[in-house]
Amino acid sequence: MDNDLLAYALEAHGGLERWNAYTRLTAQVSIDGAIWYLKQQVGMLTAKEVEIDTRSEWLSITPFASEGQRSVFVPQRLALETLAGGVTETRDNPAAAFAGQTLDTPWDKFHVAYFASEALWTYLTSPFLFTYPGFFCEEIEPWHENGETWRSLQVSFPPEIATHTRTQIIRFGADGLMRRHDYTVDILGGATGANYVGDYREVQGIMMPTKRRIYAYDDAMRKIAEPLLVSLDFGAISLS
């Protein structure tokens, strides 16, 4: 790894060696915002527990769809399971289920699970994720916002990772912590996302953001303040 911005950010977040000592992450989260009203799924992601494999793309949401049930995500398959592990429903190639949708197409529970899962796995593993095999990072021109200058890392994701889109930009403050994460969302027809990251908390030596607020951005990448598209608020977080 020869990217000095990424190296600086990794150190600020607790260091890659410490991150690599863990393989699981569990977090309490509530997710809200205008998109859930648009997609007719209000409250679907309130007061959930998320568990991830930090090294490979696996994520569960508990409870999901009904009490006593959880969703389990890997890039090419979604399952609904009982808490004992019995599979009740599945959807293979879940990304394909978004084909032909428009902005106001209602979602079903599998659409919600896929969108939330691929997003959360990226968010909860960043910036350490960018050192994994197949990623390419380069520092690009800095970004100026709120009287601050944020160094910017353009990240290319490998095709086997399910994520919003292949190329994303992470912007870091002078302290090396993430301030803003910019992307478009392929399954939403290329809709823009300016994802503001904050309220960091130290968790077992790793700095974890506990608040994300996501807005659209315009052609100049300026935040469009209304509506708030997605909000994420994290409670207890643990690593093992």
Side-chain angles (χ1 to χ4, degrees):
M1 181 179 63
D2 57 5
N3 187 294
D4 70 333
L5 173 55
L6 180 55
Y8 184 64
L10 294 172
E11 192 62 29
H13 284 82
L16 187 59
E17 183 178 0
R18 189 187 303 266
W19 173 259
N20 285 339
Y22 304 114
T23 59
R24 308 294 280 192
L25 183 152
T26 302
Q28 308 297 320
V29 65
S30 280
I31 305 175
D32 200 358
I35 191 172
W36 310 111
Y37 293 83
L38 190 65
K39 297 301 186 180
Q40 300 179 28
Q41 294 289 352
V42 179
M44 187 75 169
L45 294 171
T46 301
K48 303 301 177 186
E49 180 177 277
V50 173
E51 183 179 3
I52 70 168
D53 182 328
T54 63
R55 299 300 303 176
S56 62
E57 200 169 10
W58 181 97
L59 182 144
S60 69
I61 302 173
T62 308
F64 190 81
S66 65
E67 289 299 322
Q69 188 169 257
R70 67 176 187 166
S71 64
V72 177
F73 158 85
V74 293
Q76 294 302 319
R77 188 173 189 263
L78 271 168
L80 297 182
E81 296 181 355
T82 67
L83 299 187
V87 176
T88 59
E89 292 183 68
T90 62
R91 176 174 288 173
D92 292 329
N93 193 16
F98 294 87
Q101 292 191 352
T102 62
L103 192 60
D104 57 358
T105 300
W107 277 354
D108 63 24
K109 60 192 174 186
F110 281 108
H111 292 121
V112 172
Y114 182 83
F115 176 73
S117 297
E118 57 92 349
L120 282 164
W121 193 80
T122 296
Y123 301 162
L124 289 167
T125 56
S126 296
F128 304 101
L129 173 63
F130 311 143
T131 67
Y132 293 5
F135 281 84
F136 177 77
C137 302
E138 61 176 334
E139 186 169 0
I140 59 174
E141 65 278 1
W143 179 257
H144 304 281
E145 189 168 343
N146 295 336
E148 298 183 9
T149 297
W150 300 338
R151 292 175 70 183
S152 299
L153 189 71
Q154 183 170 282
V155 180
S156 296
F157 283 67
E160 63 270 17
I161 298 292
T163 189
H164 286 326
T165 196
R166 289 299 124 210
T167 301
Q168 304 179 29
I169 299 172
I170 319 294
R171 307 191 191 276
F172 298 90
D175 56 4
L177 300 179
M178 295 180 287
R179 294 289 193 275
R180 176 173 159 170
H181 179 182
D182 292 333
Y183 43 73
T184 56
V185 184
D186 294 343
I187 59 175
L188 289 174
T192 58
N195 184 331
Y196 288 84
V197 186
D199 288 13
Y200 268 85
R201 184 168 72 236
E202 184 178 335
V203 178
Q204 297 163 238
I206 301 294
M207 294 299 291
M208 299 291 301
T210 63
K211 178 177 175 180
R212 287 177 177 264
R213 296 292 183 268
I214 305 171
Y215 305 85
Y217 59 77
D218 65 17
D219 290 344
M221 300 195 78
R222 293 175 298 225
K223 178 181 78 173
I224 299 171
E226 296 290 340
L228 171 60
L229 297 176
V230 182
S231 65
L232 300 96
D233 292 284
F234 292 91
I237 303 172
S238 63
L239 292 150
S240 60

